């Protein structure tokens, strides 16, 4: 072995020991999760703790004539019953929403959706509280309700929000009707209309991304404990954004922010459901302040599905204009957004329709216009993202279905049409017609790799043969090939356009190296299962040369973690991940000065080598990061303050734009409507990959939720506003039995503005997956002249399609 080989080998061994970026490091948090040793909100048991439960409205729209709590209060074990009348003097019967609306904590004069919170019973245990909810007598006078958002602004529509009936100026401009929330438009309307008027080919379709729910396994919950002596409130809860919750609680309760301790312990899945603030949080806090003992609130499954947040419910009239040979010239979209009874959409404040204006997708579409109208209906409020960065799933669904419809009309292959319109590698950074600047991308390479791997040409040939066989009556099975090429927009965000209630959407990391060279690091984000304890440590390991196993990551305690805006919109890696790298580099810079002092050389004479600084040209003279850490506390250079720690608050210059190419092969039995996913191939590009195993897990999870949404999951309402699908009996939650096999792949196009070139990935598979499934179904039926088939594509609905097409004999 020659010297260089030895050096290389030694370096490789030291690198491997770090388990840094690029390593398939096993998830450290799973040691406790797989042994049932996680610590969730409901695991918390405090002395004297009481339990709250809600009385909920059976009606979708009704006037409350009276509430009588006397029978409930008389039940042994019941301690208190709160109603709007109790909260009103405190100014807490309404709470502000993230979207600039207010939301009833407990209904005062009216209920506006089924299962709305009417009273909060606090008792010695959960069962007594639950029993007592049945003893609260509420007299209702039922009112006509609005279920169909298209009827919401009719002249004779019942006015839903009487509390803001006369307030015709909303949080996002003028309201056209008492049931109108906002109109949001972007793009050049005149130019777009002109292109459409003169286009060779146009398509127009109402594409519905139906109402669904993130449904994490752990429901929303909180424990509030108010210490009357100290005047301090501790609030444990299922919070994706603990610091924001602390600020909001301070603003609405008047308690000073430093006397509020918000703690998000382990979280059993969030998927967007745990971003917003809910009545249960407020009532547990009020209960504890009033009673001086801890109060716990834990949602049951039905409450979770029917009241805390919904996702989607976008009705998108989508149009494309193109030349005869398939160059897309313009896009025009109108969205009717059903927001339910209160606008509690969880978006950055300036974005009433999230980042819906990413709807031009991965294509170079020169002209576009988007208009969104938000309306009130008698349904639960919410409007959370559900595994997508603020309405990106809706946007990608619109463009990816529209492109397929255009391909159909042009008689062009859908993959070819996409490639023809892709933004070219040399166009990045690319400014889209609706205002975004895509940081980087190489769509052609990704698409080619995907098509070659899946064997696209052969699949189309097989499909052509099967179609002939079907027409000849030899088979009852039809084959669909679904494609989706998506661009995500994650990592909110630059302060110039992203804030939550006025707080700029930066994020943070604080890294502290102990004298022995072990590390604790804290971030402003909060994992709900994404594996942050594993992956942030990998970033630090690579940056400062300390093994990931010696680095502990802590999140979720607002007393110790630096202020951050939390985890949603796949922003942890783009924002807090960047903060982590920058903080680590600050430490490294100080370490270099210490090393120079120790080795008695000038700083500039040192070079970094995996886990140490060494003297250039004298590789045997070095100091390891561990040695430097010890020195930092014991013998720092004169005039240098001791210690080795750093904090960074990172304000990203731009979002990151991960992308991917997905293909789905599906076989559908036209007689039963049963769809079988034969193959699903997902190629993701999230820039620099921190942990390939975790990325694969994220992709598996996101695709499974995409499969759920596209193929069956739905929160439906009947004409009386009764919520259908409020339990797992009706709401489709796929298990391993239904879930297809996933093939994953990748390309790497680093983000040019991110310190380590990483983009987010947590939501990409969902965003790309939903249209891919829907396109597969639509593609299967296309040759039969089915036209656009709305989601969800469960067997019953697909059977209906066959019925309509006269396929059943
Ligand atoms: N990662 C990586 N390399 C990259 C990008 C990400 O290794 N280039 C890793 C990260 O280090 C992190 C994970 O992938 O461990 C996800 O990172 P990121 O894409 O930054 O997303 P966030 O951590 O901000 O997670 C949020 C995202 C969202 S918004 C939803 S919704 C969702 C998702 O994550 N909810 C989840 N994935 C989930 N996974 C689980 N288990 N539970 C949820 O509730
Ligand atoms: Cu998009 S649902 Mo996630 O942002 O918590």
């Amino acid at each position: 072995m020659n010297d260089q080989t030895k050096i290389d080998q030694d370096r490789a061994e030291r690198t491997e020991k770090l388990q840094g970026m690029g390593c398939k490091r096993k998830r450290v948090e799973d040691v406790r999760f797989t042994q049932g040793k996680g610590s969730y909100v409901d695991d918390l048991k405090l002395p004297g703790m009481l339990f709250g439960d809600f009385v909920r409205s059976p009606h979708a729209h009704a006037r409350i004539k009276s509430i009588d709590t006397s029978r409930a209060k008389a039940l042994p074990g019941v301690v208190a019953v709160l109603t709007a009348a109790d909260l009103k003097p405190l100014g807490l019967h309404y709470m502000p929403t993230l979207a600039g609306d207010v939301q009833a904590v407990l209904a005062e004069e009216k209920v506006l959706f089924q299962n709305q919170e009417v009273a909060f019973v606090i008792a010695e245990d959960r069962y007594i509280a639950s029993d007592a909810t049945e003893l609260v007598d509420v007299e209702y006078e039922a009112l006509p309700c609005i279920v169909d958002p298209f009827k919401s602004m009719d002249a004779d529509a019942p006015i839903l929000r009487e509390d803001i009936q006369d307030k015709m100026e909303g949080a996002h401009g003028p309201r056209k009707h008492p049931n109108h929330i906002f109109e949001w438009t972007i793009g050049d309307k005149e130019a777009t209309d002109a292109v459409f008027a003169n286009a060779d080919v146009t398509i127009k379709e109402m594409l519905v991304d139906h109402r669904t729910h993130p449904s994490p396994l752990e429901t929303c919950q909180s424990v509030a404990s108010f210490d009357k002596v100290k005047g301090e409130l501790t609030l444990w809860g299922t919070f994706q954004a603990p610091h924001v919750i602390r600020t909001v609680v301070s603003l609405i309760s008047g308690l000073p922010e430093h006397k509020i301790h918000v703690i998000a312990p382990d979280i059993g899945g969030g998927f967007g459901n745990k971003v917003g603030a809910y009545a249960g949080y407020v009532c547990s806090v009020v209960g504890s302040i009033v009673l001086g003992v801890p109060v716990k609130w834990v949602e049951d499954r039905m409450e979770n599905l029917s009241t805390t947040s919904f996702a989607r419910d976008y009705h998108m009239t989508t149009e494309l204009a193109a030349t005869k040979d398939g160059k897309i010239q313009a896009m025009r979209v109108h969205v009717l957004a059903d927001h339910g009874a209160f606008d509690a959409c969880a978006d950055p404040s300036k974005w009433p329709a999230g980042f819906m204006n990413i709807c031009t997708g991965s294509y170079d579409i020169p002209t576009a216009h988007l208009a969104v109208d938000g309306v009130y209906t008698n349904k639960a409020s919410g409007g959370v993202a559900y595994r997508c960065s603020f309405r990106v799933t809706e946007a990608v669904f619109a463009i990816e279905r529209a492109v397929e419809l255009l391909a159909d009309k042009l008689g062009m292959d859908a993959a070819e049409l996409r490639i023809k319109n892709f933004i070219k590698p040399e166009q990045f950074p690319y400014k889209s017609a609706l205002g975004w600047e895509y940081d980087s991308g190489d769509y052609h390479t990704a698409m080619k790799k995907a098509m070659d791997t899946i064997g696209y040409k052969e699949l189309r040939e097989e499909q052509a043969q099967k179609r002939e066989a079907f027409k000849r009556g030899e088979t009852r099975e039809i084959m669909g090939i679904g494609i989706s090429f998506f661009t995500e927009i994650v990592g909110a965000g630059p302060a110039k356009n992203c804030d939550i209630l006025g707080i700029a959407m930066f994020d943070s990391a604080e890294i502290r190296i102990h004298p022995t060279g072990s590390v604790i690091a804290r971030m402003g984000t909060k994992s709900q299962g994404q594996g942050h304890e594993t992956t942030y440590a990998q970033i630090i390991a690579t940056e400062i040369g300390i093994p990931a196993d010696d680095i502990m990551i802590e999140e979720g305690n607002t007393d110790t973690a630096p202020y951050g805006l939390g985890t949603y919109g796949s922003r942890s890696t783009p924002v807090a991940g960047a903060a982590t790298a920058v903080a680590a580099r600050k430490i490294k810079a100080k370490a270099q000065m210490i090393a120079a002092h120790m080795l008695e050389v000038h700083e500039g004479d040192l070079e970094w080598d995996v886990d140490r600084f060494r003297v250039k040209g004298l590789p045997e003279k070095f100091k390891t990061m561990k040695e430097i850490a010890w020195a930092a506390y014991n013998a720092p250079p004169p005039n240098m303050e001791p210690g080795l720690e750093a904090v960074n608050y990172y304000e990203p210059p731009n979002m990151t734009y991960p992308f991917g190419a997905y293909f789905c092969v599906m076989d559908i039995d036209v007689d039963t409507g049963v769809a079988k996913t034969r193959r699903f191939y997902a190629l993701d590009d999230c820039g620099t990959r921190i942990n390939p195993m975790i990325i694969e897990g994220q992709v598996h999870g996101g695709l499974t939720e995409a499969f759920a949404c596209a193929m069956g999951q739905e929160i439906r309402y009947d004409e009386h506003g009764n919520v259908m699908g409020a339990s797992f009996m009706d709401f489709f939650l796929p298990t391993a039995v239904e879930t297809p096999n996933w093939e994953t792949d990748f390309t790497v196009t680093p983000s040019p503005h991110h310190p380590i070139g990483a983009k987010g990935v947590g939501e990409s598979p969902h965003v790309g997956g939903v249209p891919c499934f829907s396109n597969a179904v639509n593609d299967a039926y296309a040759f039969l002249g089915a036209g656009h088939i709305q989601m969800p594509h469960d067997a019953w609905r697909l059977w209906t399609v066959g019925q309509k097409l006269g396929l059943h004999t």
Side-chain angles (χ1 to χ4, degrees):
M1 198 190 287
N2 68 26
D3 282 358
Q4 191 54 44
T5 319
K6 234 195 248 164
I7 292 168
D8 290 347
Q9 199 181 355
D10 168 63
R11 186 171 296 147
E13 276 168 19
R14 283 186 286 127
T15 305
E16 200 185 308
K17 234 170 78 190
L18 295 181
Q19 296 195 50
M21 281 192 274
C23 167
K24 293 184 179 178
R25 184 177 186 226
K26 287 200 177 132
R27 289 170 40 113
V28 292
E29 44 272 86
D30 288 357
V31 173
R32 63 178 189 279
F33 293 157
T34 53
Q35 297 183 55
K37 293 285 194 294
S39 169
Y40 299 89
V41 174
D42 201 23
D43 290 321
L44 199 69
K45 291 179 178 65
L46 299 175
M49 188 167 75
L50 301 176
F51 299 80
D53 196 11
F54 282 109
V55 176
R56 295 178 178 279
S57 164
H59 298 278
H61 193 198
R63 212 167 287 292
I64 296 176
K65 305 203 68 166
S66 65
I67 305 177
D68 182 353
T69 60
S70 53
R71 285 202 303 142
K73 279 180 179 152
L75 187 74
V78 170
V79 180
V81 182
L82 300 178
T83 64
D86 303 303
L87 300 185
K88 204 172 177 177
L90 308 167
L92 287 175
H93 60 314
Y94 279 94
M95 62 179 172
T97 71
L98 294 176
D101 197 357
V102 292
Q103 176 176 358
V105 174
L106 292 173
E108 189 187 11
E109 284 158 356
K110 262 175 71 159
V111 287
L112 289 161
F113 63 92
Q114 188 177 53
N115 285 357
Q116 188 179 338
E117 299 81 3
V118 176
F120 189 68
V121 178
I122 301 170
E124 281 163 13
D125 71 39
R126 176 82 202 262
Y127 302 96
I128 299 174
S130 183
D131 286 349
T133 61
E134 319 237 314
L135 301 177
V136 174
D137 299 301
V138 187
E139 202 187 330
Y140 297 99
E141 177 195 327
L143 298 168
C145 71
I146 303 175
V147 174
D148 180 355
F150 287 92
K151 298 201 172 125
S152 183
M153 292 201 279
D154 284 357
D156 59 351
I159 294 174
L160 304 190
R161 291 290 300 279
E162 289 170 15
D163 59 312
I164 52 165
Q165 182 170 352
D166 304 319
K167 199 174 157 242
M168 293 315 284
E169 188 66 26
H172 305 281
R175 305 199 296 141
K176 301 178 213 171
H177 182 285
N179 295 333
H180 185 238
I181 307 171
F182 64 84
E183 180 187 28
W184 185 67
T185 62
I186 186 158
D188 188 336
K189 184 168 188 323
E190 257 171 51
T192 307
D193 291 348
V195 176
F196 271 90
N198 298 307
D200 293 346
V201 185
T202 61
I203 60 109
K204 179 175 184 173
E205 188 62 62
M206 162 63 74
L207 303 170
V208 182
D209 202 345
H210 58 286
R211 184 175 271 246
T212 180
H213 194 283
S215 55
L217 280 188
E218 179 201 34
T219 59
C220 297
Q221 26 201 285
S222 60
V223 174
S225 177
F226 185 68
D227 183 327
K228 278 194 169 168
V229 177
K230 292 190 194 157
E232 290 181 23
L233 173 71
T234 308
L235 179 61
W236 292 265
T238 45
F239 307 135
Q240 292 184 223
H243 283 97
V244 178
I245 293 282
R246 187 185 69 189
T247 303
V248 171
V249 170
S250 175
L251 291 174
I252 66 178
S253 71
L255 285 170
E257 201 169 352
H258 67 292
K259 295 204 167 185
I260 302 170
H261 316 286
V262 173
I263 299 167
D266 285 331
I267 293 183
F271 312 111
N273 190 188
K274 293 164 180 170
V275 174
Y278 298 121
Y281 303 162
V282 178
C283 289
S284 64
V285 168
V286 173
S288 181
I289 292 177
V290 172
L291 301 169
V293 287
V295 175
K296 183 188 267 190
W297 167 69
V298 174
E299 260 182 345
D300 66 23
R301 182 59 55 192
M302 285 198 176
E303 294 178 300
N304 179 256
L305 285 169
S306 65
T307 68
T308 45
S309 75
F310 70 91
R312 318 281 148 80
D313 221 338
Y314 260 31
H315 305 253
M316 306 178 284
T317 310
T318 310
E319 296 173 85
L320 288 177
T323 60
K324 283 195 292 290
D325 56 351
K327 180 76 194 81
I328 306 172
Q329 296 169 301
M331 182 179 200
R332 190 161 59 192
V333 183
H334 177 267
V335 181
L336 187 74
D338 183 341
H339 283 213
F342 306 95
D343 186 4
C345 287
D347 295 310
S349 305
K350 292 190 192 75
W351 301 92
F355 303 154
M356 180 64 200
N357 57 326
I358 193 82
C359 62
T360 51
S362 313
Y363 312 106
D364 183 15
I365 304 179
T367 320
H369 187 256
L370 165 70
V372 184
D373 279 294
V375 294
Y376 292 121
T377 59
N378 289 113
K379 301 176 191 170
S381 58
V384 296
Y386 186 0
R387 209 158 187 154
C388 89
S389 183
F390 314 119
R391 303 290 185 183
V392 184
T393 311
E394 290 88 328
V396 171
F397 180 68
I399 183 70
E400 286 305 293
R401 273 303 297 134
V403 167
E404 295 269 325
L405 293 164
L406 180 64
D408 240 18
K409 186 139 180 190
L410 290 163
M412 242 178 113
D413 178 80
E416 196 188 314
L417 178 66
R418 285 179 170 86
I419 294 168
K420 187 169 193 140
N421 287 284
F422 275 159
I423 300 162
K424 297 184 183 66
E426 63 272 18
Q427 286 178 283
F428 292 93
Y430 172 81
K431 188 107 196 190
S432 79
L434 295 179
W436 295 113
E437 190 181 294
Y438 296 25
D439 61 344
S440 65
D442 183 352
Y443 300 165
H444 294 79
T445 303
M447 189 65 163
K448 182 167 186 324
K449 187 174 185 187
M451 287 170 74
D452 289 349
T453 312
I454 188 114
Y456 182 69
K457 207 170 134 262
E458 293 74 21
L459 285 170
R460 282 291 178 206
E461 283 161 13
E462 185 196 341
Q463 183 184 43
Q465 283 167 16
K466 279 200 113 177
R467 284 178 172 176
E468 289 312 313
F470 184 88
K471 285 183 201 158
R472 288 193 302 267
E474 292 162 16
T475 176
R476 300 298 289 158
E477 212 174 63
I478 53 176
M479 172 180 167
I481 302 169
I483 311 173
S484 136
F485 196 101
F486 66 94
T487 297
E488 253 264 65
I489 168 170
V490 300
K496 63 173 185 282
N497 53 23
C498 286
D499 69 83
I500 286 187
L501 301 172
I503 309 162
M505 291 181 75
F506 59 83
D507 226 287
S508 59
E510 183 205 271
I511 306 173
R512 187 175 296 172
I513 315 226
H514 305 315
T516 54
S518 70
V519 180
I520 180 155
R522 299 182 171 105
M523 286 80 192
T525 48
K526 174 64 205 168
S527 186
Q528 309 124 44
Q530 293 89 344
H532 290 179
E533 287 167 55
T534 306
T535 48
Y536 282 129
Q538 292 181 259
I539 299 177
I540 300 172
T542 295
E543 289 289 341
I544 63 170
I546 286 178
D549 282 346
D550 294 340
I551 303 168
M552 189 163 85
I553 303 298
E554 200 184 89
E555 294 179 307
N557 184 335
T558 56
D559 282 349
T560 50
Y563 202 105
L565 279 280
T567 291
Y568 43 84
S570 303
R571 62 188 298 282
S572 303
T573 303
V575 195
T580 303
V582 174
R585 286 171 194 182
K586 286 189 190 175
I587 286 178
K588 200 164 145 186
K590 181 170 178 182
Q592 186 166 359
M593 292 194 264
I594 299 170
H597 174 70
M598 293 167 82
L599 292 161
E600 297 179 333
V601 295
H602 189 270
E603 261 177 77
D605 296 332
L606 293 176
E607 63 187 0
W608 177 249
D609 176 25
V610 182
D611 56 358
R612 62 194 57 178
F613 280 106
R614 66 174 187 208
V615 180
K616 283 181 195 161
L618 290 172
E620 68 285 358
K621 280 197 77 179
F622 63 82
K623 288 291 169 196
T624 65
M625 201 59 168
K626 282 211 170 197
E627 292 170 314
I628 298 168
W630 185 258
Y633 289 89
N634 296 290
N639 302 323
M640 181 189 277
E641 64 178 291
L644 199 53
E645 59 182 76
V647 52
N648 179 254
Y649 286 81
Y650 188 84
E651 206 249 290
N654 192 1
M655 315 238 192
T656 66
Y657 296 74
F659 57 93
Y662 290 5
F663 283 83
C664 171
V665 184
M666 201 180 265
D667 299 302
I668 303 172
D669 180 326
V670 294
D671 294 322
T672 60
V674 171
K676 281 204 205 89
T677 303
R678 194 198 309 173
R679 282 186 79 179
F680 197 106
Y681 167 90
L683 178 149
D684 272 280
D685 191 319
C686 57
T688 307
R689 291 149 52 87
I690 300 160
N691 184 328
M693 182 200 70
I694 289 209
I695 292 173
E696 196 182 10
Q698 286 292 306
V699 172
H700 283 194
L703 289 176
T704 304
E705 287 182 306
F707 169 68
C709 284
M711 302 308 290
Q713 205 168 73
E714 186 184 24
I715 298 284
R716 224 154 25 95
Y717 289 82
D718 72 7
E719 74 267 34
H720 306 292
N722 293 309
V723 55
M724 327 283 276
S727 86
F728 285 158
M729 297 288 282
D730 307 305
F731 187 82
F732 176 45
L733 195 78
T735 66
V737 177
E738 298 89 6
T739 305
N741 181 52
W742 311 118
E743 300 168 50
T744 60
D745 205 345
F746 66 97
T747 54
V748 176
T749 312
S751 167
H753 61 77
H754 188 281
I756 58 172
K759 302 179 178 186
V761 77
E763 297 161 314
S764 295
H766 190 78
V767 168
V770 175
C772 193
F773 278 108
S774 188
N775 279 342
V777 169
N778 274 280
D779 183 61
Y781 285 95
F783 78 111
L784 299 167
H788 171 69
I789 304 167
Q790 301 288 13
M791 293 191 295
H793 305 302
D794 50 69
W796 157 246
R797 283 186 175 81
L798 291 184
W799 181 87
T800 325
V801 173
Q803 189 73 0
K804 257 190 229 143
L805 291 170
L807 299 176
H808 304 152
T809 44

